Amino acid sequence: MTAAISGRDAASGLVLVLNSGSSSVKFALVLPGSGERLMEGIGERLGTPEALLRIQWFPAAALEERLPGGTHRAVVARVLDQLAQTGHVGSDLLGAGHRVVHGGERFTSSVRVDEAVIAAVRSFSHLAPLHNPANLAGIEAVRDLLPDLPQVAVFDTAFHQTMPPHAFRYAVPEEWYTRHGVRRYGFHGISHRFVSEQAASMLGRPLGELRLVTAHLGNGCSATAVRDGVSVDTTMGLTPLDGLVMGTRSGDVDPGLLSYLAGRTGMNVGELTRALNVDSGLQGLSGMSNDMRTVARAAADGNERAQLALNVFVHRLSKAIAGLVVGLQRLDALVFTGGIGENSAVVRGLVLSRLGFLGLAEDPQANAGHGRGTRGRISLPGPVLALVVPTDEELLIARDTARVIDPDTDPDTDRDTARDTAGSRRTTDHAKG
Ligand code: ADP
């Protein structure tokens, strides 16, 4: 059931990566050097009678069990139990790495979890009320069940803490920022950071010299300007509702619509915000689906609403990418990632066709050839390139965890091998997604 561990991985150990959402916990047992997964799974529909736990060990052996009313803690307990049964706990398990959505202005990099970190993450719960409490539930479950296991928090906001004030401040009353923390924080930082590093290695150039726009296009979508390796601007803001059109989220709207619609419909701010989060985006425009595959197929079949949804998505994305170049003053590469960015040649082609003035030109054959976990260039050769780079947030979390726990390890050196291994596994993810 356990895979053979290479020399350096044996030295650096295994990392249990946990991504706790409001009603689910995703987890993976990762070798940070090679990126190989020994196990992965999900506990979902937590807190309901239908709660279910699924664990897949590689190369084989699967476990599925019902956990009626199961909580985050119940899932973590079962996963740790499995690790103990397979002999990992107490031997090669280096630590647990947690995705934490909001680190406020305090966390600019990944940190070892202690009581002060737990308190700080809790103090940012008002900024991410669905996510931070769930992230903490995972951290506290591991702390209570295996108190000696080192834990590391890897923040979705940390990468964007390098943004300058002119990019992160909103033009609103000063007190909203100083007293209430109203500013652009940005999200998807783990993914933007991972694909920037990958892009640099693919281009064979130091990240510190590159000017990139990274477009993470999944169910949530955001784009980031990465200058010399750091985020200098991004489309998501105080919340992940800001910026690009997404599956069910509107992205940017005129904030005046809240009072306008409240007056016309009697809906309150909470109801309107919910509609902007769950009934908008591709779903709202197309009236059929939040899934780009369904929308793009219907558009190709002549469905006008689907065509409009696709057009708005692409227009807003292209406009945002061009706007982000202002913070870069030069573009070396545009990077596509996330389920849509990695798989939709149609979206990528439409975006590139609108950005020719930046020096981007689609290579149609290369573009059509990329999807399902493969990476590479999709533009014609030239000074400005477009790349597809599959993201792997779990791998970045595992590497940060190993590095924070033992600063002498350098789990990054196998970057390309890791990508190839993990990339082939992500093929399965997208096939089922
Ligand atoms: P999440 O943000 O939840 O991690 P993903 O990154 O998997 O989600 O992205 C989900 C999105 O990717 C959905 O809109 C889905 O339609 C889109 N997607 C997945 N495969 C394809 C494909 N072959 N063509 C177009 N879109 C795709």
Side-chain angles (χ1 to χ4, degrees), residues 262-274:
R264 286 187 67 95
T265 65
M267 290 167 83
N268 62 33
V269 173
E271 291 165 335
L272 289 166
T273 306
R274 187 182 145 75

Side-chain angles (χ1 to χ4, degrees), residues 98-376:
H98 298 263
R99 175 195 205 147
V100 178
V101 166
H102 219 303
E105 289 189 324
R106 170 164 170 171
F107 295 109
T108 56
S109 59
S110 303
V111 292
R112 179 97 172 233
V113 173
D114 59 18
E115 290 305 315
V117 169
I118 289 177
V121 171
R122 185 169 291 114
S123 77
F124 300 130
S125 289
H126 62 284
L127 290 166
L130 291 180
H131 293 102
N132 273 31
N135 303 153
L136 279 174
I139 290 173
E140 290 176 327
V142 174
R143 177 197 63 185
D144 296 347
L145 294 160
L146 274 187
D148 293 331
L149 189 72
Q151 301 199 71
V152 172
V154 183
F155 299 92
D156 241 348
T157 49
F159 184 56
H160 301 298
Q161 279 298 305
T162 44
M163 284 192 290
H166 63 254
F168 76 68
R169 287 292 297 274
Y170 291 114
V172 295
E174 171 80 5
E175 204 183 54
W176 293 8
Y177 170 58
T178 53
R179 287 197 58 176
H180 304 297
V182 172
R183 53 158 286 177
R184 190 182 293 285
Y185 290 96
F187 298 89
H188 290 146
I190 299 169
S191 178
H192 289 297
R193 195 180 127 209
F194 181 83
V195 298
S196 317
E197 291 171 2
Q198 292 289 311
S201 96
M202 287 163 69
L203 295 169
R205 294 174 59 184
L207 183 55
E209 290 173 10
L210 283 173
R211 314 257 174 117
L212 307 170
V213 171
T214 51
H216 177 104
L217 310 174
N219 282 312
C221 300
S222 70
T224 294
V226 183
R227 182 173 180 153
D228 307 338
V230 303
S231 167
V232 292
D233 204 353
T234 194
T235 56
M236 282 182 169
L238 173 69
T239 73
L241 183 55
D242 205 357
L244 305 178
V245 174
M246 315 184 205
T248 61
R249 285 178 236 158
S250 61
D252 297 338
V253 289
D254 177 353
L257 73 69
L258 290 176
S259 68
Y260 172 77
L261 281 174
R264 286 187 67 95
T265 65
M267 290 167 83
N268 62 33
V269 173
E271 291 165 335
L272 289 166
T273 306
R274 187 182 145 75
L276 291 171
N277 271 296
V278 303
D279 299 327
S280 302
L282 294 175
Q283 173 69 50
L285 281 166
S286 72
M288 65 172 60
S289 176
N290 64 344
D291 191 308
M292 182 55 90
R293 281 167 294 200
T294 309
V295 172
R297 210 178 302 122
D301 289 344
N303 182 296
E304 287 183 13
R305 283 185 67 180
Q307 186 64 58
L308 178 70
L310 183 60
N311 290 349
V312 176
F313 183 93
V314 166
H315 174 69
R316 291 266 298 276
L317 172 58
S318 308
K319 201 163 90 167
I321 292 166
L324 289 167
V325 177
V326 173
L328 300 175
Q329 292 297 305
R330 183 190 82 221
L331 182 64
D332 294 320
L334 169 62
V335 178
F336 290 96
T337 195
I340 298 171
E342 292 168 30
N343 294 295
S344 179
V346 170
V347 168
R348 295 189 305 243
L350 289 170
V351 169
L352 293 183
S353 71
R354 281 161 176 74
L355 295 177
F357 69 94
L358 289 175
L360 286 158
E362 179 194 7
D363 176 336
Q365 210 179 345
N367 187 28
H370 281 292
R372 301 181 179 265
T374 63
R375 68 181 203 177

